[in-house]
Amino acid sequence: EAGVTQFPSHSVIEKGQTVTLRCDPISGHDNLYWYRRVMGKEIKFLLHFVKESKQDESGMPNNRFLAERTGGTYSTLKVQPAELEDSGVYFCASSLQTSRLAGLQETQYFGPGTRLLVL
Amino acid sequence: KQEVTQIPAALSVPEGENLVLNCSFTDSAIYNLQWFRQDPGKGLTSLLLIQSSQREQTSGRLNASLDKSSGRSTLYIAASQPGDSATYLCAVNQGGKLIFGQGTELSVKP
């Protein structure tokens, strides 16, 4: 079974440009999460999808970040325009959900991350 | 606000030693706690998940315990090997989102 995949693995862009990150969850996983780690800090939650719906987007830093999950399969995270402080590693994770409560207790499986550098 | 702390930040041990990594959290209202391993430049590998109703979980040489009332978890690694060298992260699940500690960087010397 394929794990969580993320594309690209690395991205270097200039301040003010747009970048779109993609995450493909494990097949059949309804829950999809985005996290990021900025330099020297712990990994922090950004948002949570259940299928195509945003369940919790309390961690999104500002309106320059837009996440979508059309059709409830893969997800994209767009940063527009990118700022220097957006540099870091963006992780995606997915988990199985058989019911809403059960889904909150399932193991989250992480992808390899996208390393974003904004110059 | 939930805060997760891991001690020590770094640990270096000789091969064969048994060791304990510590994780503490401030809010006991959690669904579960996960321990992860991260190798340099790689993603996170889930090691163990302890549900809030459980006290411990074991997988091979790894044993994780959870004391929710005191806000503590430990990861015990038996007979450490150089291949165990990595950063170990603990994370508590609150409302579906994981809240991470800063990690413990472990180095096992041959």
Side-chain angles (χ1 to χ4, degrees):
Chain A
E1 179 184 284
V4 177
T5 57
Q6 293 187 244
F7 182 83
S9 59
H10 295 78
S11 181
V12 181
I13 60 172
E14 293 188 349
K15 176 183 170 181
Q17 290 186 322
T18 297
V19 63
T20 300
L21 313 181
R22 173 172 169 144
C23 168
D24 286 80
I26 294 172
S27 177
H29 282 196
D30 287 340
N31 289 298
L32 187 149
Y33 310 83
W34 284 98
Y35 296 85
R36 76 171 179 177
R37 173 181 249 167
V38 296
M39 184 67 72
K41 302 282 190 180
E42 66 274 18
I43 297 171
K44 288 197 171 176
F45 168 82
L46 295 178
L47 89 159
H48 171 202
F49 284 99
V50 177
K51 297 184 179 177
E52 66 275 10
S53 299
K54 291 177 185 174
Q55 184 73 23
D56 180 356
E57 51 184 328
S58 61
M60 294 288 263
N62 52 61
N63 59 10
R64 295 185 295 103
F65 289 75
L66 175 64
E68 294 180 324
R69 193 183 182 195
T70 307
T73 55
Y74 71 90
S75 173
T76 57
L77 179 64
K78 182 163 73 173
V79 185
Q80 179 182 30
E83 298 289 345
L84 301 179
E85 64 265 25
D86 300 332
S87 296
V89 183
Y90 289 76
F91 292 103
C92 175
S94 72
S95 70
L96 194 60
Q97 175 166 292
T98 54
S99 72
R100 186 171 186 274
L101 266 182
L104 295 175
Q105 300 178 3
E106 295 288 341
T107 297
Q108 293 188 21
Y109 296 94
F110 279 69
T114 292
R115 281 144 187 82
L116 175 65
L117 179 60
V118 183
L119 301 174
Chain B
K1 181 188 169 192
Q2 179 73 268
E3 291 184 6
V4 180
T5 304
Q6 291 187 245
I7 294 173
L11 181 63
S12 182
V13 300
E15 181 177 5
E17 270 202 11
N18 302 324
L19 56 100
V20 175
L21 307 182
N22 296 291
C23 174
S24 62
F25 47 96
T26 55
D27 185 350
S28 62
I30 64 172
Y31 283 105
N32 60 47
L33 184 146
Q34 262 183 271
W35 281 94
F36 294 89
R37 167 188 173 134
Q38 184 176 25
D39 294 283
K42 305 288 186 182
L44 279 66
T45 300
S46 181
L47 298 173
L48 290 164
L49 178 144
I50 311 177
Q51 302 288 3
S52 62
S53 59
Q54 297 175 325
R55 300 283 292 183
E56 66 177 329
Q57 281 287 335
T58 298
S59 175
R61 293 183 294 109
L62 305 179
N63 176 276
S65 68
L66 174 64
D67 184 342
K68 208 173 71 157
S69 60
S70 68
R72 294 180 190 277
S73 177
T74 60
L75 179 67
Y76 175 82
I77 303 176
S80 58
Q81 302 170 359
D84 295 331
S85 298
T87 296
Y88 289 80
L89 297 158
C90 78
V92 297
N93 184 320
Q94 274 197 320
K97 62 187 176 190
L98 294 180
I99 300 164
F100 283 84
Q102 286 261 26
T104 293
E105 187 175 349
L106 173 66
S107 175
V108 181
K109 306 293 187 186

